[in-house]
């Protein structure tokens, strides 16, 4: 009979991090509490100072603590998740006059801000061309890139694609598209959203996405490839949402048919 192989001992930095994590989870350390200094942690655990520094880095990567320059390291306040679900395009929500993001931010007591760094006619990515039913070899789409912030913290990147032959000469080419946003302008072009298709996956961010979203190392993103279909079943808009996975949840309530 083969005996179980003993597990390798944890590195000292991880043992310190696990103990501090337990203190946070049981409430011995509260949100907003300041952690002891690296020197104090090293003395408490009988470790080198760089070991204590590595333990703090592990906690930061797990999203449990945050460093404030010149002040120290603090237990992070719990982050309420933004939940973008099946009702975000509902008529009831649209009647508020707010976009889905602004409505969710308002519900959570946060201030929304949206930047539009680029609007350009482009050749679409292959997956977008397939879903929007446009040529991949031509500049057949307008690509709008938006960056979304809640209380000045970046939370998502949205790349929206619509057909160039419909967007040219309209407010879809402008950063501010007017009442009801791009969907209001697309309705004016004859596309009433009646169905959506969302394809959801998790992955690690690209270096550019990590920089825009200010992600800690090791934090993944949620990607939602969204397709809007109109009253005739025609796809008229495709958006790629890249969400911070540490601040975003997706809530769907669907009828069972």
């Amino acid at each position: 009979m083969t005996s179980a192989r003993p597990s390798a001992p944890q590195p000292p930095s991880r043992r310190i991090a696990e103990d501090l994590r337990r203190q946070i989870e049981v409430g011995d350390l509260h949100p907003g509490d300041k952690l002891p200094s690296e020197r104090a942690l090293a003395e408490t655990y009988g470790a080198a100072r760089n070991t204590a520094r590595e333990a703090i880095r592990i906690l930061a990567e797990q999203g449990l603590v945050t460093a404030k320059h010149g002040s120290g390291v603090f237990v992070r306040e719990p982050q309420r998740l933004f939940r973008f679900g099946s009702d975000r395009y509902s008529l009831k929500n649209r009647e508020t006059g707010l976009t889905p993001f602004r409505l969710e931010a308002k519900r959570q007591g946060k201030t929304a801000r949206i930047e539009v760094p680029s609007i350009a006619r482009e050749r679409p990515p292959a997956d977008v061309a397939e879903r929007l039913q446009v040529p991949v070899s031509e500049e057949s789409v307008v690509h709008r890139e938006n960056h979304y912030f809640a209380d000045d913290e970046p939370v998502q990147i949205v790349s929206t694609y619509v057909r160039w032959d419909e967007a040219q000469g309209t407010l879809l080419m402008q950063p501010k598209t007017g009442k009801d946003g791009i969907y209001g302008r697309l309705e004016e072009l004859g596309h009433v959203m009646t169905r959506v298709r969302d394809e959801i996956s998790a992955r690690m961010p690209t270096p550019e996405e990590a920089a825009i979203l200010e992600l800690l190392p090791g934090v993944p993103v949620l990607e939602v490839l969204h397709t809007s279909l109109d009253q005739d079943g025609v796809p008229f808009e495709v958006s790629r949402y890249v969400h911070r996975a540490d601040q975003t949840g997706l809530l769907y309530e669907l009828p069972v048919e």
Side-chain angles (χ1 to χ4, degrees):
M1 184 168 129
T2 305
S3 60
R5 183 177 299 176
S7 58
Q10 282 187 321
S13 58
R14 189 159 293 278
R15 290 202 302 273
I16 296 172
E18 286 300 316
D19 187 56
L20 292 171
R21 179 188 180 96
R22 182 192 59 78
Q23 292 181 51
I24 293 170
E25 289 177 344
V26 302
D28 291 340
L29 287 170
H30 299 90
D33 283 355
K34 184 177 179 179
L35 261 62
S37 67
E38 292 175 3
R39 184 186 301 277
L41 286 173
E43 291 176 356
T44 298
Y45 290 95
R49 188 168 175 177
N50 64 338
T51 300
R53 183 180 303 121
E54 174 65 11
I56 292 172
R57 185 192 67 78
I58 292 170
L59 293 174
E61 286 188 355
Q62 294 173 349
L64 295 174
V65 301
T66 185
K68 297 181 180 179
H69 184 68
S71 299
V73 179
F74 297 82
V75 178
R76 193 174 184 186
E77 296 286 345
Q79 299 297 303
R80 183 170 179 184
L81 292 178
F82 278 81
R83 298 193 180 276
F84 301 94
S86 52
D87 71 338
R88 67 187 185 274
Y89 301 111
S90 69
L91 181 60
K92 177 187 67 175
N93 285 345
R94 289 187 59 186
E95 286 174 348
T96 67
L98 298 174
T99 63
F101 181 81
R102 291 189 184 279
L103 181 60
E104 191 65 38
K106 182 180 179 181
R107 287 171 174 166
Q108 298 186 21
K110 296 178 181 290
T111 301
R113 177 167 61 87
I114 302 171
E115 295 181 356
V116 187
S118 65
I119 302 173
R121 182 181 182 182
E122 294 179 357
R123 290 175 55 181
D127 55 356
V128 171
E130 178 184 356
R131 287 154 182 80
L132 199 53
Q133 299 176 6
V134 294
V136 71
S137 58
E138 302 174 12
E139 293 183 342
S140 56
V141 299
V142 169
H143 170 201
R144 299 174 55 92
E145 180 164 330
N146 291 359
H147 298 168
Y148 290 74
F149 300 79
D151 288 348
D152 288 327
E153 188 169 15
V155 294
Q156 68 177 10
I157 303 166
V158 182
S159 298
T160 295
Y161 301 86
V162 295
R163 293 184 182 85
W164 162 250
D165 59 7
E166 294 187 315
Q168 59 178 319
T170 73
L171 285 175
L172 293 168
M173 300 297 298
Q174 302 299 321
K176 294 185 178 180
T177 54
K179 186 177 182 299
D180 295 329
I182 66 167
Y183 296 112
R185 306 295 71 75
L186 288 163
E187 279 193 8
E188 293 169 355
L189 294 170
H191 299 295
V192 178
M193 186 191 302
T194 57
R195 191 158 57 93
V196 301
R197 181 186 302 120
D198 285 352
E199 302 167 66
I200 304 166
S201 58
R203 59 174 173 80
M204 298 308 295
T206 66
E208 181 182 12
E209 291 167 345
I212 293 170
L213 295 173
E214 299 177 6
L215 294 175
L216 293 168
V219 175
V221 294
L222 289 175
E223 178 178 304
V224 179
L225 188 58
H226 164 88
T227 305
S228 297
L229 298 103
D230 69 11
Q231 67 279 2
D232 298 317
V234 175
F236 63 92
E237 172 258 344
V238 174
S239 290
R240 191 187 313 277
Y241 293 80
V242 179
H243 303 278
R244 289 180 58 143
D246 61 343
Q247 291 201 7
T248 304
L250 299 171
L251 175 63
Y252 287 88
E253 294 184 9
L254 306 172
V256 178
E257 299 176 349

